[in-house]
Amino acid sequence: MDKDKALIVYSGWMGDFLWLVPTLRALKTKFSSLTLVVSEQQEVLARSLTGGVVDRVFVDVKKQRKEQREKVKEWAQKTNIGTYIDVVGKWKTSAFIPSKLFGTSVYIPGKADTREYALARILHPLARHLPQRGEEQHLVDAYLEIAKMFGAEPRVCFDLGYDNRTTAQADEIIEKHDLREQDSVVINLGSAQTSKIWSPQNYRRLADILQHDLKLKVVVMGAQDFKWNDDYDLKAFNSFFKDYEGHVLIHDTSLMVDACLLSLGVINVAIGNDSLAGHMAGYAKEVPADTPGARKANGKYYLANYTVSLVAPTNEKFCGVYDPTREFNLVVKPIEYPSNCTTGSCDYNQTDHVCPNYGLEHLVSPCMEKITVDQVVGATEIQLKKSKI
């Protein structure tokens, strides 16, 4: 088996995949080929990296998981894959890795970091451990430790692979809505998980205050077609923004166009939930000082948007916007949590860093609803002032 060829299993949500991108880019410098197994939700992001970072992508289709597992194992053996990395250590992900292959190296997280350690260890009793995640360590930094373990010198870069058409569409939107203009604010409505969503009623009140009281240009973004949350963004828009007279992008973009647009650092302030859009808008990419649009922080220069992240049922230290400068992203959390909500209390899940309400299928979690419009208006004013310096 060729240990210079690696297969990485990481089946989860879109924001999760973004956190892994810097590690994938680093690992590509140490392996002759990288193959990924990702979820259906992550597929479009993973395939954007093919041709430069990733050589092949397999998709973990829930209804076809058993057949797909066998297909991946058979292909891996035929192509002499010698290194296997299960990033999260779940039963469903570990099962994509062949169990009885000599001459291979299998890696799973340590007991404290593995979602289903006993089951993953049963499947791969001789697997080695990935580096242990620090208690307060962001997932991006934890994953970069994997790259370091293989001798790679990681550089934090979240760039996806955008084709010429996607880049051109993003540029057209920037020009059409003049997003380089000062005093403009972008609002992202949704998230793949409903428990992370701030109510669309609040977003509409926020938009009206920003536009009419503060005289800001407000741009509403969201996914027109996103089956993973039952087209929530479009439904929320039609219910609460249909008569909106501001700038609207929801009918003009796609997931990849939105991601490209949010990665360019041209937005004054972006406001959103814990979501892929929020992460794309908020991460800070270090660039040379003469890069057009570069913003200075901590003595270095970055392409970055000033962002306001609305967070309640998840832990921003572990899985929030990745901003190592701590200059560009401002987190807004509830001043108080509802009496019937266990976020932050003894029931808080320290392993997954989420509250028990995280997975509930209600439109607005009780703790998200405790974030007030006034809080978000105040945070927006703070970030807008920074963006003008």
Side-chain angles (χ1 to χ4, degrees), residues 19 138 140-141 144 156 158 279 282-284 320-324:
W19 298 324
H138 194 287
V140 170
D141 293 317
L144 286 173
V156 177
F158 294 89
H279 293 296
Y283 80 81
V321 166
Y322 187 77
D323 175 19

Side-chain angles (χ1 to χ4, degrees), residues 6-20:
L7 184 144
I8 300 172
V9 190
Y10 192 54
S11 182
W13 288 97
M14 291 180 170
D16 302 343
F17 185 83
L18 190 66
W19 298 324
L20 190 65

Side-chain angles (χ1 to χ4, degrees), residues 259-277:
C260 180
L261 180 65
L262 292 168
S263 71
L264 296 175
V266 299
I267 298 168
N268 268 93
V269 181
I271 306 169
N273 313 299
D274 181 356
S275 63
L276 174 67

Side-chain angles (χ1 to χ4, degrees), residues 138 282-284 302 304 307 320-330:
H138 194 287
Y283 80 81
Y302 299 87
T307 54
V321 166
Y322 187 77
D323 175 19
T325 71
R326 299 186 179 180
E327 290 287 329
F328 296 108
N329 182 55
L330 180 59

Side-chain angles (χ1 to χ4, degrees), residues 100-111:
K100 298 179 180 179
L101 284 180
F102 295 101
T104 64
S105 294
V106 177
Y107 297 86
I108 64 173
K111 189 172 184 178

Side-chain angles (χ1 to χ4, degrees), residues 9 67 89 147 150 189 208 243-244 295 301 307 320 339 389:
V9 190
E67 295 84 356
F150 288 99
L189 295 178
D208 289 341
D243 62 341
Y244 185 62
R295 290 165 168 159
Y301 290 85
T307 54
S339 59
I389 298 175

Side-chain angles (χ1 to χ4, degrees), residues 264-323:
L264 296 175
V266 299
I267 298 168
N268 268 93
V269 181
I271 306 169
N273 313 299
D274 181 356
S275 63
L276 174 67
H279 293 296
M280 288 299 305
Y283 80 81
K285 174 185 176 182
E286 189 175 342
V287 294
D290 59 354
T291 302
R295 290 165 168 159
K296 190 175 183 180
N298 298 345
K300 298 179 181 179
Y301 290 85
Y302 299 87
L303 277 183
N305 308 298
Y306 286 92
T307 54
V308 175
S309 298
L310 313 183
V311 178
T314 50
N315 187 332
E316 77 280 0
K317 293 180 181 179
F318 173 70
C319 57
V321 166
Y322 187 77
D323 175 19

